[in-house]
Amino acid sequence: MQIIPCPYCGVEAEETELTYGHEAHLKRVGPDSDAADFEAYMFTRKNPKGVHFERWRHSNGCGKWFLAARHTVTLEVFGTYPAQTTEPPAELVEKIKAKCPEWKGWK
Amino acid sequence: MSEAVSALKGESHTGFATVAEAGLTGMVTIRADLGSKTLADALGPMGLSVPGLRGVVAADGRSLAWMSPDELMLFCGYDEAPKIAADLTAAFGGEHSLVVNVSDMRSLFVVSGAKGDEVLMKLCPVDMATLPQMEMRRTRAAQTGVAFWRSGPGEIRLICFRSVAGYMMGLLEVSSRRGGEIF
Amino acid sequence: MRRYSIFAIAREAMRYHSGWERAWRAPEPKKRYDVIVVGAGGHGLATAYYLGKVHGIKNVAIIEKGWLGGGNSGRNTTIIRSNYLQDASAAIFEKALQLYEGLAKDLNYNVMFSPRGLLMLAQSEHEVRGYKRTVYANALQGIETEWISREQVKDLVPIINIDGPRYPVLGALYQARGGTGRHDAVNWGYARACDAMGMDIIQQCEVTGIRTENGEVRGVDTTKGSIDCGKLAVVVSGHSGVLAEMAGFRMPIESCPLQAWVSEPIKPVIDVVVMANLVHCYISQSDKGELVLGGGIDHPNNYSQRGSWYTLEETTRALVETYPIISRLKMLRQWGGIMDITGDHSPIISKTPVRNMFMDCGWGTGGFKAIPGSGWAMAELVAKGEPGPLAAPFSLERFREGRFIDESVAAGVAH
Amino acid sequence: MSTRLATGGRLIDRSKSLTFTFDGKPMRGFQGDTLAAALLAGGQVLLGRSFKYHRPRGLLASGAEEPNALVNLGRNARQEPDQRVTMTELFDGLEASSQNRWPSLAFDIGAINDKLYKMFPAGFYYKTFMISLGAWAKVFEPVIRRAAGLGNAAKEADPDRYEQAYAFCDVLVAGGGVAGLAAALSEGRAGKRVILMEMTAHWGGRAPVDGGLIDGLSPDDWIAKTLAELRTLPNVRLMERTMVAGMHLHGSIIAYERVADHTPGDGRPRHRLWRVRPGITINAAGATERPLAFAGNDVPGVMLASAVRDYIVNWAVSPGDRVVVVANNDDAYRTALAVLDAGLSVPAVIDARDNVTGVLPMQVKARGVRILEGRGIARVLGRTGVTGVAICAQAGEGGVIETLPCDCVAMSGGWSPNVHLWSHVGGKLSWDADAALFRPDATRPPTGRDGGPIAASVGAANGLLTLDAIAAEAGMSAEVEPEAPLAPVWIMPAGATQALRYKSFLDFQNDVKVSDVELAAREGYTSVEHTKRYTTLGMASDQGKSSNINGLAILSDALGQTIPETGTTTFRPPYNPISFGAMAGEARGELFQPRRRTAMQDWHEAQHYHWEPVGFWRRPYCYPKAGESHRDAVNREIVNTRTNVGVLDASTLGKILVKGPDAGKFLDMMYTNMMSTLPVGKCRYGLMCNENGFLSDDGVVVRLSEDSWLCHTTSGGADRIHAHMEDWLQCEWWDWKVWTANLTEQYAQIAVVGPKARKVLEALGGMDVSKAALPFMGWAEGTLAGLPVRVYRISFSGELSYEIAVPANMGAALWDKVIAAGKAFGMMPYGTEALHVMRAEKGFIMIGDETDGTVIPQDLGLGWAISKKKADYIGKRAQQRSFMVAPDRWQLVGLETLDGSVLPDGAYATAEGFNANGQRNTQGRVTSSYYSPTLKKGIAMGLVPNGPARMGEVLEFPAGDKLFRARIVDPCFYDKEGEKSDV
Ligand SMILES: Cc1cc2nc3c(=O)[nH]c(=O)nc-3n(C[C@H](O)[C@H](O)[C@H](O)COP(=O)(O)OP(=O)(O)OC[C@H]3O[C@@H](n4cnc5c(N)ncnc54)[C@H](O)[C@@H]3O)c2cc1C
Ligand SMILES: NC(=O)c1ccc[n+]([C@@H]2O[C@H](COP(=O)([O-])OP(=O)(O)OC[C@H]3O[C@@H](n4cnc5c(N)ncnc54)[C@H](O)[C@@H]3O)[C@@H](O)[C@H]2O)c1
Ligand SMILES: Cc1cc2nc3c(=O)[nH]c(=O)nc-3n(C[C@H](O)[C@H](O)[C@H](O)COP(=O)(O)O)c2cc1C
Ligand SMILES: [Zn+2]
C-alpha cells in the first residue's frame, strides 16, 4: 500500500484513499493544434523507469488533485505539491537531483 | 416537516459499542474562499468561526467542519438548514461562493462507548490513537467514503452518503458485535 | 535437436536420465546478426521462431536481460481464448489459438495447451448485450463461441453461486476451445526450437542503448558489449518505453503492475476458466491443483513487479462472493508483472520512427494467449519490412488517426 | 514408536485432557498440544502422502515449515484442506483426516507412481503426451489433474465470520522469540509505539528448548520477566497467534490473526486480517533448520533435529525410542541431549565432519553415545516408518559400513534465517560462507516512501544463531555452550550414486529430489528461477522454507558455481498461507459491496420488483404482477404509460450543481452544446465527450439562475462526471471562478409520465403545472402535496412528462402520495426496461447502448447538439482526426425487419466478401432492439456505414441459423413531430 501525503489537507493518505491520475504537467492542446502535438498530449507518455511526475486525487478525502514526484522502481515519494502549477517546485527538483544523480530532469 | 424521514429512521445496535443513525440532521455545504471576511462575518452571529485545517468548531448545538481548503460543512437542525443556507447565500451577495442545503444527501451516525474506536479501526485506514478531538477525518470505511470526528468523550460522529446508509450500518453493526473486541 | 517422446524417456530412465541434452545453449554474442530480437519473453521467442521457420531468417539473436521467460510470459495466469470482439483482435488471437492447438507437436515440447473451455460471466444486462454482440461478431469472424444460460454455467462450474445475491449470473459467453496453457513450457518450447535452428539466446544481457545512423538502426549496446544487426525487433512488454527512449522516441504506453496469486493445491474443483468482469476476478485451477487467481491492474506507474495489497483484497472479495467455498482455502503466493498498457488497451505491432526497428508490445493483461499469433505477425513485419494483414491494424499510426481498437467496449473486457 | 513421556512438557496442561479424531480414529491429547504433538503422542507417525509419488510421510518439523503433515480439518462447511498439523492448536472435538490417498492412508493406490519413479523425473510431462491435442486434453491431462492437488475443499459456503483491522505504530516486531522480545522491550522502553506479533500461541521462540542463560536467567524465567515488563508498557501491544504475513509497498504490513481457530464456535470472528503501517519493521522471525539430503530422508520418522527436541521438551512427546542424530553442526547435539534427558536412547550421532571436538558433542560423548565422525547416511531403512539407518563414509559413494536399528532419525543440515519479510519488498541478502547461510545485508535494506530503510533484522533472522550473539546484539548477556563451525554439507554421502540421488529429497511435498535439480542443470534450466519452475522446487505450500537453500546448493554444485552466484528465488508474500476468508473480511453477502438505495427502495422491494444492478444501485427493471412474465410486465408498463400514466423512480440520475461567474464558460467546455446561452428557467439536453472525442455522458442541463446550472447525468455517470469536472477545474482552468457540488443524493426524483401525467400532478395540488405555466423544457419550483419540489418538464419517453425533485428524506412520502393520486388515473410504476423501450421508440440514444466508447456524437445524428459557434469543447480536437471525419463512419439509423420480428440485439449486418484476414465483411450492427408494444412489432436502432444516406436499403443480419432482413429507416418510430411531449 503506497502512502502519499496530500498537500492540501495534510493527511498521509494510503492508496485506497486516492485516485491515480497519470502523467502530470501535460498542457492541454486544443482544436487548432498539430496532429502530432495532439497525439503526444493524448497518448505519448513519459513512462520513465525512474522519477515520475504524476497526478493524484485525494478522492476519499478532501477531493483535491495534487501532483507527486515518485520513483517508479523504488516507489520513493520525493514530494507532493498542489496541482495549480505548471512546473514542479524548485526545491523538490533539487532534492530529487541530490538523491538521483542520474536523473535527467522533469521535462 | 413531519414527512421527512432519515434513511434508517434512527436504527441503532449495541454490541461492544453502540452504533446509531442519528436521524434527521441539517447540513449545509459552503464552498468559498475560506479567508473571506464576508464568510467570517456571516458565521459570527452563530458563534462560529472558520475552523483551521481539518478542524471542527461547535457552538449552540451547531458544528462547522473543515472539509477541504475551499469547503466547509455546517451541521445544524434539519429544519433550520434551508434558512441558514439561504441566509448565507444572501450574505455572500455577489461574492463567488456556493452555499447549498445538503441535509438530505448524507446520513449521520454516532458511535459511542469506550471501545468505539475499535469499531472504526476495523473499517478505516486511520490512526485512531492519534486522532484528536474535533478533527475531521475524511476517509473511507470499507468500500465507501466517509468523514468522521470525535465529537465528545467516547463519541464519534460519522457521515456517509444517504444511499449507502444501510451498507454503513451493516458495517458498523458487524464491526461492533460482541466477541469482536480487539483489545 | 533430440526429439522428446515417451520412448526417449523410457530409454533415458534406464541410465538415470543422464543423456538429455541442453534445451538451449548459453552462447556468447556474435558481432553481428541479421535480426536481433530484444526480449526473450514468449512474444520475442515466437517472433524469432517464425522468422526462422516461415521466413528462413536464422541468423538471429534473442537478447534477454534476465532469464528467458522471466517477464510477464513467465508469470501470467495462462488464460487463452480468441473470442475477441473487434475484427483486428479476433483475427490475431484466433491465429494464435490455432497455432496453440498444434504447438506441442510443432515444437516437440508439451506446452500443455488445455482447451478446457472458458466462460465470461454476464452479471448485468449490459454484459448480456455485450457478449451476445460478441457471439454475432465472432460468427462472422469464423470463431466458435456461444452464449450459454445460467443453468449451463452452473453445470460447467458447480462451485459457482449463480444466485447472487448481488450480481446473479445471467449467462455467459463460452468458448469451448479456450482454456489455459503451461506458460513456462511455451517459453521453453520456443526457446529450444529457436536454439535448434541455430539462433543464439543470450541471457543475462541487458540492452542499454540502441545505435542508429541516419534514422536507421545499426545495432545495440548491451551489458555484454555492442552487437550489430540488420534489423531490430523490440519485444519487451513493460519495458517498451525504456527501449523506445533509447532510440529517441516515446510510446503510447504506461507500465504498471498486474498481480496474480495462487491457493494451496487442492483436488480439482473447477475444470474450466471463468472470468467475471463486472466484479472483476478470474479463476482457473492448474493441473497441479492450485487455484490460479487474478483481477485488475494497479494503475500507478510501477516497474517493480510488485503491486498494492488492496487490489488482491478487492479481487478476493469478488472471488469469495462468486465461489463461496474458497473462503476456507488459503493464499499460497502472490506476485506481479509489469504491464504495458496502451492508449486503447490494444497491442502494437509496428514500424517505428527508426528504420528497420520494429516493436511488438502493448499486450498488457492479455498477451499470453497471443504469443504464437503475435510472433507470427511480427516475424512477417520484420522479414518483409511491411505489416501483413494481421499486424496492419495494430500500427502506431492509429493513435494519431483516432483509429482505435478498443476491446473493452462491449462489456468491459480488456483481456 | 512415538509416545507421550510420563513427565515434562512445558506447554501442556496434563490436567486438561482433550479428545479428537484422526481419520475417524478417536485420540487424546492435552491442552497446549499442537495437533502434531498429539498425533505423535498417540503413535501416529504416518500422516500424509506426498504430491507426486504418494510416498508415505510423517512429520518433518514442529513449526510453520512443515511440508508433509497436512490434513483436512473439520467437516462439511467447515472443512479446511492442507492444514499444517504443526500450526494447529488442539481443541476438544477436533476432527482431522489425511489427504491425497486412496483408499486409505496406509494403503494408497497412488503409490504405484513411486515404483515408476524413474519414468517421472522433473518435467517428464514436457517431453511426452504429444500424440495429439485430443489425446492430451481428453486422456492424459484429466489423469494428471485427478492425481494432483492435496486436500479437498468444502462443498458448502463458509459459515464463519472474518474481519480486518488497521493498526499504526512506530515499530512492528515480527516474532516473539528472545530477539523479538528484547527488541520490543528496548523500543518500548524508549517510548515508541510498538506492536509485537507472534504467530504461535506462546512466547519465547526456540530459546526455552535450546537452553542457556540470559542475563543470568533461564530462558523461561527471562521470557516471563520480559513479558511482565512489556505488559506494563501502555505503548506496547503484544499479539499472539498473529503472523506477519508479508511486507508490502512502502513497508505496509499484512498480518494474520487466527482469533478463534482454536475455539471454534465461540462467536468470535475466525480470523482477523491486520493492515499495519509501521515506521519500521523489525524482523525477528528466527531461523529454520535445514534437512540433509540422503536416500530415504523422507521416510516417516526422519525429522529435523530441532523438531525432535521440541516435541520432547515442549510437549513431552517422544518421536522414537531410539533416535539416531545425523548432522553437520554442533547444535544438533542438543537433540541428542534432550533425547537422553528424556530417558530414551541415542544409538549414535552421525556427523559429516571429521574432527568433532565441540563442547556439545563432548557432553553427548560423555554420556556414552557413539559419535561417528566423517560419516553419513547411505540410506534410511523402512517405508512407512524408520527401522534403521545404513551408515557410510561421508566422503564416499555410499558403501554401507554398518547398519543401525532405530525408529527415529533427527537430522540437521544447519539453519537458514527467515529472511522472507526482509526480502518481500526487495531487501538484499549476503551469503555467509562460514555459517553457510544467507543473511540480510543491512547495507541494502528494503526502502520505503522516503527512500529510507523500512526493515531491520535481529536474532536468528539476522543470521545470529547463538544465544550469546543474539543477546549481545540486544545489549544483554548470555551464557551458552560455544559451537564449533558447521561443515557445509548438503548431500550424504558426498559422492552419492545416481540411485541414491533419486531417493534423496529436497522439496518433500513436491517430491523434488537431488537428481531432479541436477537434471535441470544438465538440460540448461540453469537459472535458479528456471530450476525452480522446471522441478517445482520450493513451489509447494511450504514455499521451500526447509528445502530452498539445499536446492540452491545442489544446483550450484552441478553448475560449478558458488551459491551467491546462483542466488535465491524471489521471496513473495505470504510467509505462510492465509485464508481467503480473512482477505475478504466482512465483505460478503449484503456487505460484499456497498448497495445504494434510493429513498423509495423499500417500496420497490415490497412490490417484489425484478431488479437489475446499475453501478451499486439496484434499479427496478419491471414490476411483474402475480403470474406475469417479465416481458409481459414490461409491455404492460409501456402501454399503460403511453395510454394512461406511469411513474418511475429516477432518483439515481446524477445532479451536479455548477455555480460561479465562469460557470457558463466552463459548461461550454464540458458539453458539446452551448450551455452559457440557456435561459434561466429552461432545460436543455446536453452531450459530454471525453478528450478523445467519444461520447461519454448525456443529460438535461437546467439553468437555475444567472450563475448556476444543474447538470443531470446518467445514473452510472454521476460520480465520474463530477470527478471529471473537478479535474478540469483544479488542474487546467484553476483560475476560473466555478464551484461544483454533486447533489445527486440530495434529491429523490420521480418521473410522472404519460397523457394523464398532468392530472396526477393537479391531483397532488400545490402548483400550476399547466402548459402555460410550465411549458415543455421548462422547470418550476413550488410545492406538491405539501412538499417542496422542483419540477422539470422534460421527456425521455416522448410523452407528457414531469420529473419531480424532492429532498431525499421526503422522497418516500412524495412517492406514496403520487401513487395514491395516480390510482384514479390508472397509474402504474414502470422500470428501466420500459424506459429503454420507450426511448428507443422515440429514437433517443442511450449511453452504453448506442455508445460504447468508440462512438462520437456525429455518428449518432446528434450534430445538432454540437455547437458550431464554439471554438472549443472537450473532445473537439479529437473529433477532427482523420478517422473521425472519414466519410464512411458507421452512423445511427432505425432498423425495421421486413416481417416485423425483433432483430437480435448486437447482430451485425453482412457485406459482400471477406477481409484480408478471411473474416466476413460487415456493414453495420444493431445497437438496441426491442419489441415495441406500442407499434406491435420489432424496432431497432443500429450503426451503419453512411447509414442516413441509405434509407430504405435492406440489410441482412445473420444470427445463428436465422437470417434477419431489415430495412434502414428513420430512428424515430413514434410521434416524430414530438406532439405528445409538448402538450
Ligand atoms: C499477473 C499476470 C497475469 C496475466 N494473465 C494473462 C492471461 O491470463 N492471459 C493472457 O493472455 N495474458 C496474461 N497476461 C499478459 C501476458 O503475460 C503478457 O502479455 C505476455 O506475457 C507478454 O509477453 P512478452 O513476450 O511481450 O513480454 P515478457 O514476457 O514480459 O518479455 C519481455 C522480456 O524483455 C526483457 N527485457 C526488457 N528490457 C530489456 C532490455 N533492456 N534488454 C534485454 N531484455 C529486456 C524482459 O526481461 C522480459 O523477459 C498476464 C500478465 C501478468 C503479469
Ligand atoms: N545454535 C544454533 O544453531 C541455532 C540456530 C537457530 C536458532 N537458535 C536459537 O534460536 C533462538 C533464536 O532466537 P530468535 O528470537 O531470533 O528466534 P526464535 O526462533 O526463537 O523466535 C522466532 C519467533 O518468531 C515467530 N515467527 C516466525 N515468523 C513469524 C512471522 N512471520 N510472524 C510472527 N511470528 C513469527 C516464531 O513463531 C518464533 O516464536 C535462540 O535461542 C538461538 O539460540 C540456535
Ligand atoms: C499459472 C501459475 C501457477 C503457479 N503456481 C505456483 C505454485 O503452485 N506454487 C508456487 O510457489 N508458485 C506458483 N506460481 C508463482 C511462481 O512461483 C512465481 O511467483 C511467479 O511465476 C512470478 O515469479 P516471481 O515470484 O519469481 O517474481 C505460479 C505462477 C503461475 C503463473
Ligand atoms: Zn487531501
Side-chain angles (χ1 to χ4, degrees), chain B residues 3 19 50 98 117 130-131 135 137 142-143 151 159 169 179:
Chain B
E3 291 178 276
V19 297
V50 176
L98 180 154
D117 278 16
T130 57
L131 184 75
E135 172 169 324
R137 183 63 157 86
Q143 300 171 64
S151 44
I159 50 172
M169 183 50 101

Side-chain angles (χ1 to χ4, degrees), chain A residues 6-11 58 61-64 66, chain B residues 66:
Chain A
C6 172
Y8 288 100
C9 68
V11 162
H58 195 186
C62 71
K64 294 297 172 206
F66 61 87
Chain B
W66 188 99

Side-chain angles (χ1 to χ4, degrees), chain C residues 38-44 63-67 69-79 205-207 235-237 239 243 246 258-260 282 335-339 363-371 415:
Chain C
V38 188
H43 289 253
I63 300 185
E64 167 55 51
K65 75 177 163 76
W67 41 284
N72 296 333
S73 300
R75 55 186 66 246
N76 67 85
T77 46
T78 81
I79 297 175
C205 176
E206 180 165 0
V207 170
V235 196
V236 294
S237 68
H239 281 78
L243 272 283
M246 290 177 195
L258 175 69
Q259 301 179 77
Y282 53 87
W335 65 93
I338 307 167
M339 295 295 92
W363 295 93
T365 59
F368 172 68
K369 63 179 72 64
I371 284 173
H415 66 173

Side-chain angles (χ1 to χ4, degrees), chain A residues 1-2 15-16 20 22-23 35-36 39 43-49 52 56 70 72-73 75 107, chain C residues 65 239 241-242 250-255 299-304 308-310 343 396 399-400 404:
Chain A
M1 213 76 87
Q2 298 184 68
E15 261 176 282
T16 60
Y20 184 61
H22 306 270
E23 188 175 339
E39 183 193 6
F43 298 107
T44 317
R45 289 292 162 262
K46 281 206 187 88
N47 198 24
K49 190 172 180 180
H52 190 228
W56 290 86
R70 197 177 54 101
T72 59
V73 181
L75 308 185
K107 275 214 164 101
Chain C
K65 75 177 163 76
H239 281 78
V242 178
R250 280 186 190 160
M251 294 291 287
I253 282 192
E254 285 184 286
S255 300
H299 290 280
N301 292 43
N302 178 339
Y303 282 87
S304 78
S308 262
W309 172 261
Y310 73 89
L396 271 168
F399 296 98
R400 185 162 306 180
F404 307 108

Side-chain angles (χ1 to χ4, degrees), chain A residues 15-84:
Chain A
E15 261 176 282
T16 60
E17 301 174 277
L18 302 166
T19 305
Y20 184 61
H22 306 270
E23 188 175 339
H25 298 304
L26 291 174
K27 184 65 202 138
R28 182 168 183 266
V29 162
D32 299 313
S33 58
D34 178 74
D37 290 346
F38 186 68
E39 183 193 6
Y41 158 61
M42 287 299 291
F43 298 107
T44 317
R45 289 292 162 262
K46 281 206 187 88
N47 198 24
K49 190 172 180 180
V51 183
H52 190 228
F53 287 81
E54 58 199 19
R55 306 177 338 126
W56 290 86
R57 186 179 186 212
H58 195 186
S59 43
N60 274 320
C62 71
K64 294 297 172 206
W65 279 100
F66 61 87
L67 308 183
R70 197 177 54 101
H71 197 286
T72 59
V73 181
T74 65
L75 308 185
E76 175 172 358
V77 179
F78 301 104
T80 58
Y81 51 100
Q84 293 77 36

